[in-house]
Amino acid sequence: MALVGYTNAGKSTIFNRLTAADSLEENLLFATLDPLTRKCVLPCGYTVLVTDTVGFIQDLPTTLVAAFRSTLEEVTEADLLLHVVDSSHPDYVAHERTVSRLLTELGASSIPMVTVYNKSDQKASEFIPTTTASIMISALSAADIDRLRYFLEEAVKQQMVHYDVSIPSGEGKLLAQLKSDTILHEWHYNEQGGTYDCQGYVLPAHPLYGELQSFQR
Ligand SMILES: Nc1nc2c(ncn2[C@@H]2O[C@H](COP(=O)(O)OP(=O)(O)OP(=O)(O)O)[C@@H](O)[C@H]2O)c(=O)[nH]1
Ligand SMILES: [Mg+2]
């Protein structure tokens, strides 16, 4: 996933709290100049890579174009975009529009996107979300970061395909891979068949997806 959004929206703050990393987090324009990628563990135990990116802005100064370019490569390679919006900013609607326009210019407009309305603790009185595929949080609240993790888990699951398989107990490596590389929801040992019956979600682009076809229940 890649965190995108207007500068100062709170991307690095969210990134740090989701990944417990120390990225630069300051009340400065363009506090982030290098893309940073770290692991984030979702509530179900599934690990995703999250990339923090440089903030978007309406008129990009030429000196920042190079930094912007490298960040943007990260964006186009993401499977899911988290668009962070500062809901306390009076111009948040214009910011959202600028970010959407830049994403379109980058050829990233077809990547699935969810919106994270941040700074709910200071949200503008006239604030109304412009999209329903969204969550409202304050990055400063630990409880909200937990809610965000569940929200992201649902968003990731929507990119995945459900599987329901019977794996022979000798296939230890495959079972281990289901635990690490998919969202393994439920599994139990079936004594009669000598199999592990497993249900979960897998990315259709993952090699495991093909491998699981022959074990379908
Ligand atoms: N009140 C409040 N402040 C927040 C919240 N989230 C972030 N901030 C503050 O907003 C400022 C900007 O946060 P950053 O995380 O650096 O923003 P950014 O989107 O990474 O900014 P750029 O890297 O410049 O694009 C910092 O002072 C944060 O502490 C929030 O939920 N509520
Ligand atoms: Mg930042």
Side-chain angles (χ1 to χ4, degrees):
M1 322 180 172
L3 288 155
V4 298
Y6 213 75
T7 186
N8 210 48
K11 299 178 293 298
S12 297
T13 309
I14 292 172
F15 176 73
N16 284 341
R17 280 156 178 71
L18 279 179
T19 65
D22 333 293
S23 153
L24 251 182
E25 175 194 314
E26 281 169 45
N27 202 357
L28 291 173
L29 291 186
F30 305 108
T32 307
L33 286 176
D34 281 311
L36 281 164
T37 301
R38 291 193 205 277
K39 287 177 177 176
C40 164
V41 184
L42 297 176
C44 63
Y46 186 68
T47 301
V48 291
L49 290 178
V50 185
T51 300
D52 188 17
T53 70
V54 62
F56 291 23
I57 195 168
Q58 189 137 29
D59 301 302
L60 200 66
T62 37
T63 46
L64 283 163
V65 169
F68 201 63
R69 287 263 156 251
S70 66
T71 241
L72 298 179
E73 274 164 33
E74 305 280 336
V75 169
T76 49
E77 280 164 21
D79 296 313
L80 180 68
L81 300 179
L82 313 185
H83 180 182
V84 182
V85 178
D86 176 355
S87 66
S88 75
H89 200 289
D91 296 330
Y92 74 93
V93 176
H95 290 176
E96 275 189 80
R97 247 187 257 124
T98 297
V99 171
S100 296
R101 180 171 53 77
L102 290 173
L103 287 174
T104 303
E105 282 175 19
L106 283 170
S109 59
S110 61
I111 302 174
M113 184 169 88
V114 291
T115 302
V116 180
Y117 289 109
N118 190 34
K119 307 197 189 183
S120 63
D121 52 308
Q122 294 183 347
K123 86 175 171 228
S125 52
E126 68 280 11
F127 175 81
I128 302 169
T130 65
T131 168
T132 50
S134 64
I135 185 172
M136 176 113 223
I137 66 157
S138 167
L140 308 181
S141 150
D144 279 8
I145 294 294
D146 274 350
R147 276 203 303 123
L148 178 61
R149 281 181 206 280
Y150 281 100
F151 176 79
L152 295 180
E153 185 168 300
E154 284 311 308
V156 168
K157 262 194 223 161
Q158 283 186 14
Q159 311 301 313
M160 295 175 136
V161 179
H162 185 253
Y163 65 78
D164 187 352
V165 292
S166 278
I167 311 279
S169 55
E171 299 274 352
K173 187 172 163 233
L174 182 56
L175 286 164
Q177 279 182 315
L178 286 188
K179 279 189 194 163
S180 61
D181 294 4
T182 76
I183 295 184
L184 180 57
H185 242 300
E186 228 186 89
W187 59 281
H188 65 268
Y189 185 61
N190 179 338
E191 275 183 41
Q192 264 180 332
T195 57
Y196 285 95
D197 296 342
C198 307
Q199 274 192 57
Y201 294 84
V202 62
L203 281 173
H206 196 286
L208 273 178
Y209 174 71
E211 214 176 313
L212 287 175
Q213 297 309 309
S214 52
F215 298 106
Q216 291 281 9
R217 278 212 282 169

